[in-house]
Amino acid sequence: MAQQSFNVVIIGHAGRLQYESLLFAASLRHSSPGFSGRLFVAVPQPGPLWQKDPSIHNAGVLEAFARLGVEILPFESKIFGEKYPYGNKIEALQALPEGEPFVFFDSDTLITGELASVPFDFNRPSASLRREGTWPKPTLYGPGYTEIWRSLYERFGLDMDPTLDLAQPDEFWKRYLYFNAGFFYGACPRAFGKRFAVYAQSIQKDPPIELVGQSLDPWLDQVALPLVIHSFGGGRDTLPQGYLDGEVSCHYRLFPLLYARESDAVIALLEEVAAPNWLKKVLKTYEPIKRLVYQNRGARVRALFDQDHLPRREQAIRNKIKSEGLWIR
């Protein structure tokens, strides 16, 4: 595919996300000199759906954003706000330039390779497959995965059958289209975001009877996302493996988990992009980065594990870190 221009958007607001956004931006500029699009940090604005002002006022953070060529993108929370902050990724899409391809990343991500090398087909959107079977959780007496998912596809006039991975057994979660919303992309952010909002609100306000007993908090965005992607002609296999959540990006989620389980190359990249003094003076005001990155407690976390033989369950990793007093977030 010929290289095409696209925009990147992440969410930032006061507190943790402004510092994660800084690291994302620094890693993008370091690792992807070929990226020619615009980098937006979408920031929710104060309003009735927020008890406290979520916007960014930290002068050091804003100066660093400017130095990294970040464009602040204010948006209004009309649907979700503080009660469901994961909805920021849905509502922010309406503020992006219409008709311009976009890639959304969660802020707790590092760009580790050349983003311009990723063969996106924006007319066939997709999202992260680095996920676990977190939703739904069928009960003993049903309904099962098929009934639950089919009720959602039928709600929006979609055909579920083409989305099934027939290599997986019936009633096994991987058979059904399910993504992590840590990244997703499409051809037009406003069209994508509008449909995302419609589907999510419908599911939240009037869930099909098959969803009785199923939790939608915090899973609502990940329940609606596969429906949106399928509706735009996308799916699980439209992006070759090995790029995002691979050589080009790392969704680390929390700094203790990053040090526990990510590769040596990711650790080295994090510490390299965080090293310049002009960035360090801002990042070290955030306690987890100060202690884990700059005061080397991340190395202590890493020494607790054999990265080639990590515990299978994330909770076991968390418990080990907590037992050593190094769970800093």
Side-chain angles (χ1 to χ4, degrees):
M1 291 180 60
Q3 183 175 323
Q4 56 183 316
S5 180
F6 57 91
N7 300 319
V8 167
V9 60
I10 59 178
I11 302 296
H13 57 67
R16 171 176 59 88
L17 264 63
Q18 64 186 335
Y19 300 104
E20 291 178 350
S21 298
L22 264 186
L23 272 176
F24 178 94
S27 69
L28 174 66
R29 298 310 186 199
H30 175 275
S31 302
S32 185
F35 173 65
S36 60
R38 300 162 74 182
L39 171 58
F40 294 100
V41 171
V43 180
Q45 298 302 289
L49 297 183
W50 296 94
Q51 289 187 358
K52 296 181 180 179
D53 183 353
S55 58
I56 298 173
H57 298 286
N58 185 307
V61 169
L62 294 172
E63 289 170 10
F65 277 150
R67 186 162 176 170
L68 289 164
V70 169
E71 298 183 51
I72 301 295
L73 186 72
F75 70 93
E76 184 181 355
S77 299
K78 298 179 180 179
I79 305 169
F80 299 107
E82 188 172 345
K83 288 186 177 180
Y84 189 69
Y86 300 97
N88 282 334
K89 67 183 67 177
I90 300 174
E91 296 197 74
L93 298 179
Q94 291 299 319
L96 287 167
E98 187 171 11
E100 296 183 13
F102 75 96
V103 184
F104 168 89
F105 287 99
D106 272 348
S107 307
D108 48 2
T109 300
L110 294 172
I111 299 302
T112 54
E114 180 53 75
L115 192 58
S117 72
V118 179
F120 294 110
D121 182 349
F122 290 102
N123 291 315
R124 300 175 66 216
S126 194
S128 173
L129 291 171
R130 189 180 183 183
R131 81 286 192 222
E132 298 177 346
T134 49
W135 195 93
K137 295 292 186 184
T139 59
L140 180 61
Y141 300 105
Y145 284 96
T146 299
E147 285 185 78
I148 291 170
W149 277 115
R150 193 174 297 282
S151 72
L152 291 167
Y153 283 87
E154 290 178 350
R155 162 70 61 89
F156 304 110
L158 303 171
D159 183 2
M160 184 178 81
D161 290 343
T163 73
L164 299 175
D165 181 354
L166 300 181
Q168 301 292 340
D170 192 32
E171 292 299 312
F172 179 56
W173 70 270
K174 283 189 176 181
R175 185 179 178 92
Y176 310 90
L177 196 62
Y178 189 56
F179 299 105
N180 184 304
F183 78 76
F184 55 86
Y185 59 88
C188 173
R190 296 194 186 182
F192 194 104
K194 181 178 180 180
R195 192 169 298 173
F196 204 169
V198 168
Y199 285 11
Q201 284 184 281
S202 175
I203 295 166
Q204 183 184 54
K205 294 180 178 180
D206 181 26
I209 189 67
E210 289 83 357
L211 270 63
V212 169
Q214 298 295 328
S215 174
L216 292 172
D217 190 356
W219 312 117
L220 178 62
D221 60 327
Q222 295 190 175
V223 175
L225 183 59
L227 307 170
V228 177
I229 285 174
H230 178 55
S231 76
F232 281 107
R236 66 171 62 79
D237 300 320
T238 62
L239 182 68
Q241 295 182 6
Y243 288 95
L244 301 187
D245 294 332
E247 292 297 317
V248 176
S249 72
C250 172
H251 184 200
Y252 59 87
R253 292 181 41 232
L254 295 163
F255 290 105
L257 293 178
L258 187 160
Y259 275 97
R261 65 187 183 186
E262 302 300 344
S263 69
D264 290 343
V266 169
I267 304 295
L269 174 80
L270 166 64
E271 296 182 348
E272 183 176 0
V273 300
N277 284 330
W278 63 271
L279 194 56
K280 180 178 180 179
K281 72 178 184 180
V282 181
L283 292 173
K284 72 180 182 181
T285 62
Y286 181 54
E287 195 71 10
I289 295 177
K290 176 183 177 181
R291 294 169 69 185
L292 290 164
V293 178
Y294 297 121
Q295 295 181 350
N296 295 319
R297 297 192 188 185
R300 290 173 55 191
V301 172
R302 195 158 185 78
L304 298 174
F305 301 95
D306 177 352
Q307 277 70 44
D308 294 324
H309 300 91
L310 289 168
R312 293 183 63 182
R313 293 179 61 250
E314 181 180 301
Q315 191 60 49
I317 298 175
R318 290 171 175 247
N319 290 343
K320 178 66 173 177
I321 299 171
K322 289 175 182 177
S323 72
E324 299 292 328
L326 293 169
W327 186 256
I328 307 164
R329 56 167 301 187

